Amino acid sequence: WSTSTSYDTIVAIATPMGNQQGSIAIVRISGPLAVAVVAKYFNSSKKSTSQRQNRWKPKSHFVELGTIVDDAGLIVDEVLVVPMLAPRSYTKEDVIEIQCHGGDVCVRRILHLCLEGGARLAQPGEFTLRAFLNGRMDLSQAESVAQLITAKSIVAAEAALAALQGGLSSFVQAMRKDCLELLAEMDAHLDFEDDIPPLETADVIERINSLCFRVQDSLKTSNRGRLLQSGMQIAIVGRPNVGKSSLLNAWSQSHRAIVTDIAGTTRDIVEAEVVVGGIPVKLLDTAGIRETDNVVEQMGVQRSEAAALGADVVVMVISACDGWTTGDHHIFHKIFSVKNSECAAGVSVTNFTTPWVLVQNKIDQAAEALVPIPDDVKTHFSKFVPTCAIKGIGLHDLEAAVVELVGLGKACSDGRQWAVNQRQAEQLLRARDALERLKESIKQDLPIDFWTIDLREAVIALGQISGDDVSEEVLSNIFSRFCIGK
Ligand code: GDP
Ligand code: ZN
């Protein structure tokens, strides 16, 4: 991954291969030999054959029609060639895209010719790696390219695009710059203590507080970032006959979703896909088909446990006409303890704990919409939503509650829709911890040497996001997850 690798010429097929046939396929080549390699095989329709060999002079950003001709003089395909010469290209190197006919045959033959002509097969993400190494984009932008390609919803794509356009990177780089300025002042004091006025502690603390606030501000997008990538799972739990299935049906019908029974599994979970806050959500109804056959409550609990374990939000349903029963109490404690032991195992880096929503169903039959809940239980629920599942009442409030609880509506205060990914969140937490330690060192009046240690740590953490301070290991980890040709 060292910069020296960026001096050879790489080639790859940039469009999907295999079963999915497209009418056009693209071979993309980047590097110092890009023009020379293509010139060996490209016969522009603008020129006569005699002028062809190695004389082709591409005009940057002008499309040229022609043919690809192999060494034996056989026409391989009719193509459009798009030259984007350095530095006005994705990689900042000479890039040429050859648009040929779709299907695997033409594109593979052209790829093969480029390889024979002196290019090497690109590794996954290597074009984007070069864009990063050559300063075309920072690391967070490069990561957003992969997120944009794999986005499964419009909202996820919008978030990736906001990051690609520099929303996240300018936010992080501004923080890193402020840290570096502060660090320079501290270093100056260490070197020339006698010649300059002492550091104003109050001023330093204020600047660190501002940094902490901004780190926290960007961190609040992390749960949204996670859900945008992976979608969301909501488990609907509760004892039999409170209306879980009715709720799932009403919810999914309002989205015209298809409800599927996962038959044959011991868990008897019913799934439905809906869209909440713009992202795909899987609803898991833990009700079994046999639950109406007066099955022991214990079975319901086991199924609910399994579903709740993987869920991002747990929706517990009770019947408003029954109030909070001992059965509800039993189920709640059983599932809650399972869920909590999972959190204690440290699954989430961002300290995000699964929110619980209490749905009080059958309000049409209840004297009061919100029944009294014991205080020790009540504190574990973040929202209370009255519903009448059979009439579809309260579903809108339920969705709004979910959107709020998981932070789907949360954007950073710069107003853009980018969201940090898991890796970036880890580094932001590292920066935040370092800044908190720094404040502590200042308050305890420790020597300035100590301050600089923590501040340097924050600079490094932020540099891991922007790519200013990043190891080859991290880079190869990030770019190996790209597809080939990007
Ligand atoms: P589950 O066992 O928790 O999945 O409960 P179901 O969805 O199967 O519902 C149990 C019974 O309660 C069914 O007869 C439903 O028609 C009824 N039910 C569900 N929701 C409501 C509601 O909001 N009001 C009334 N009156 N009945 C409901
Ligand atoms: Zn049911």
Side-chain angles (χ1 to χ4, degrees), residues 245 285 287 291:
S245 304
D285 176 10
E291 128 194 321

Side-chain angles (χ1 to χ4, degrees), residues 58 105-106 108 150 169 207 247 300 318 324 379 390 407 430 480:
V105 177
C106 297
R108 277 194 201 282
T150 56
S169 80
R207 287 157 74 182
L247 186 74
I318 63 169
W324 182 262
T379 56
I390 49 170
R430 187 178 156 199
S480 62

Side-chain angles (χ1 to χ4, degrees), residues 282-296:
K282 195 179 275 179
L283 297 177
L284 304 172
D285 176 10
T286 54
I289 305 122
R290 290 165 300 176
E291 128 194 321
T292 45
D293 304 336
N294 200 8
V295 174
V296 277

Side-chain angles (χ1 to χ4, degrees), residues 239-246 291 361-362 364-365 388-390:
R239 65 187 169 84
N241 273 316
V242 291
K244 298 183 297 296
S245 304
S246 306
E291 128 194 321
N361 191 37
K362 305 194 186 184
D364 53 317
Q365 290 189 336
C388 173
I390 49 170

Side-chain angles (χ1 to χ4, degrees), residues 151-159 224 227-232 234 251 255 273-282 399-400 402-404 406-410 417:
K152 298 278 187 292
S153 66
I154 292 175
V155 185
E158 281 171 351
R224 188 168 125 256
L227 296 178
L228 289 177
Q229 285 297 301
S230 58
M232 178 169 33
I234 298 179
W251 201 343
H255 287 272
E273 292 270 356
V274 297
V275 175
V276 175
I279 70 161
V281 173
K282 195 179 275 179
E399 281 193 16
V402 168
V403 165
E404 189 189 323
V406 299
L408 268 180
K410 281 205 182 97
Q417 286 301 313

Side-chain angles (χ1 to χ4, degrees), residues 157-203:
E158 281 171 351
L161 204 55
L164 179 60
Q165 295 193 323
L168 168 60
S169 80
S170 58
F171 198 86
V172 168
Q173 279 169 10
M175 290 194 285
R176 186 167 175 274
K177 182 168 155 279
D178 289 355
C179 286
L180 281 170
E181 275 171 18
L182 196 53
L183 190 59
E185 287 172 41
M186 289 178 188
D187 280 336
H189 273 268
L190 286 174
D191 295 341
F192 315 103
E193 202 168 347
D194 307 328
D195 310 330
I196 44 180
L199 278 175
E200 280 293 342
T201 311
D203 170 59

